[in-house]
Amino acid sequence: MPMHQVITLSQFIAEEQAKHPESSGNLSRIFRDIKLAAKIVNRDVRKAGLVDILGEHGTMNIQGEEVKKLDVIANDIFIDSLSQSGDICAILSEEEDDFRPVNTQAGNQGKYIIAIDPMDGSSNIDANVTIGTIFSIWKRKSPLGSEVTLDDCLQAGNEQVAAGYVVYGSSTMLVYTTGSGVNGFTLDVSIGDFCLSHPNMTTPPMGQICSINSGNYRSFSEGMREYIDYTNNKGYTGRYIGSFVADFHRNMVKGGIYLYPASEKAPNGKLRLLYECNPMAFLIEQAGGFATTGKIRVLDIQPAELHQRIPIIIGSKDMVEEALRIAHPNR
Ligand code: P6P
């Protein structure tokens, strides 16, 4: 594509900001820092097999999961980069037990809070399978200059001002929304920038792809087992990568549904509300799809704790409604 037709992420954000003269530019600076971190993590992901960043980090995170070295590296990169702009007052991360106030020395003037899953699908790192980063941004409630509170962090998904993900796949893409649709940018390493490649992304209302770990079939509810039997009889295609970002991205592009229901080993589901389910729910609704726990719309949930898990059914609108009719008839 001739250079003059390339729209970089920075140009796109500047043009979007110009449409909102009232905006202060804070969000643009945050995206600058997300972009930098994504490029650095991409560099490390692309050479993971060559340097000592694979394998266990030897510690367990608050989720009780083994922490992979790339998890820690990605977490440190995003936290370092996001702490640069004075626009963030606190960072929540899957890899951190509590929220981390930042810019406190600058008098805590940051307006925004960001929640990140720095390396989603990390169990796939050693197998060279697609992994991703997920982020969610919302405004603090407490006054500028005051200490950030837990209440600032526990806000419903409806309060998000931006959400997105980086998918480190056959190419590296950054996909995000600020509430005016979804746009996708592909990293062109030859110029070191993300370029607009998927403008105004929408997800088909119906699809043929169903993503669920059927290994948990026996411990699902009767309704969920009935739905899985239905999809098998309908001949839906089963695609389950084990990386939410990868399954989500493919389903959003092609049409499909991803489910992580409650099970015996995950009675509240496995995916975390604040930095996995909320950002993806914001994105999928902006793209025309839907996200629910089976009982409540994901974006309506009032979080009770930072690492809260919820069951999730997310994807093409008609497929989610079909799943609800069968798996949760009395919701
Ligand atoms: P299971 C990765 O740990 C993750 O949070 C999602 O990215 C992925 O879809 C899911 O868990 C896989 O979980 O239990 O099916 O291996």
Side-chain angles (χ1 to χ4, degrees), residues 138-158:
W138 60 90
K139 286 184 179 174
R140 68 188 296 176
K141 293 195 288 190
S142 55
L144 294 183
S146 66
E147 280 200 18
V148 180
T149 66
L150 182 60
D151 195 40
D152 280 323
C153 299
L154 298 179
Q155 295 189 50
N158 288 318

Side-chain angles (χ1 to χ4, degrees), residues 112-273:
Y112 295 100
I113 292 171
I114 188 164
I116 57 171
D117 181 357
M119 194 47 69
D120 171 68
S122 53
S123 58
N124 286 308
I125 291 170
D126 299 353
N128 200 24
V129 172
T130 296
I131 46 187
T133 299
I134 311 173
F135 61 89
S136 171
I137 303 171
W138 60 90
K139 286 184 179 174
R140 68 188 296 176
K141 293 195 288 190
S142 55
L144 294 183
S146 66
E147 280 200 18
V148 180
T149 66
L150 182 60
D151 195 40
D152 280 323
C153 299
L154 298 179
Q155 295 189 50
N158 288 318
E159 299 301 324
Q160 291 175 97
V161 297
Y165 58 84
V166 184
V167 54
Y168 310 96
S170 47
S171 63
T172 295
M173 279 190 70
L174 189 152
V175 178
Y176 84 93
T177 183
T178 54
S180 306
V182 178
N183 290 283
F185 299 79
T186 299
L187 181 61
D188 180 341
V189 289
S190 70
I191 62 171
D193 214 338
F194 285 93
C195 301
L196 183 63
S197 54
H198 297 66
N200 300 312
M201 295 178 79
T202 57
T203 191
M206 196 65 197
Q208 292 295 309
I209 298 171
C210 180
S211 304
I212 188 168
N213 184 343
S214 301
N216 298 324
Y217 179 87
R218 291 184 184 283
S219 75
F220 288 149
S221 68
E222 184 181 346
M224 189 53 71
R225 291 200 300 273
E226 193 177 320
Y227 172 67
I228 294 172
D229 297 342
Y230 168 85
T231 63
N232 292 333
N233 295 332
K234 283 269 280 189
Y236 283 176
T237 298
R239 289 284 185 274
Y240 191 73
I241 298 173
S243 282
F244 182 32
V245 173
D247 283 316
F248 177 91
H249 182 76
R250 182 209 50 243
N251 290 355
M252 184 164 73
V253 170
K254 293 176 176 284
I257 187 171
Y258 172 100
L259 307 95
Y260 207 106
S263 65
E264 277 166 14
K265 66 179 180 180
N268 296 311
K270 179 182 181 183
L271 272 59
R272 274 67 58 150
L273 173 58

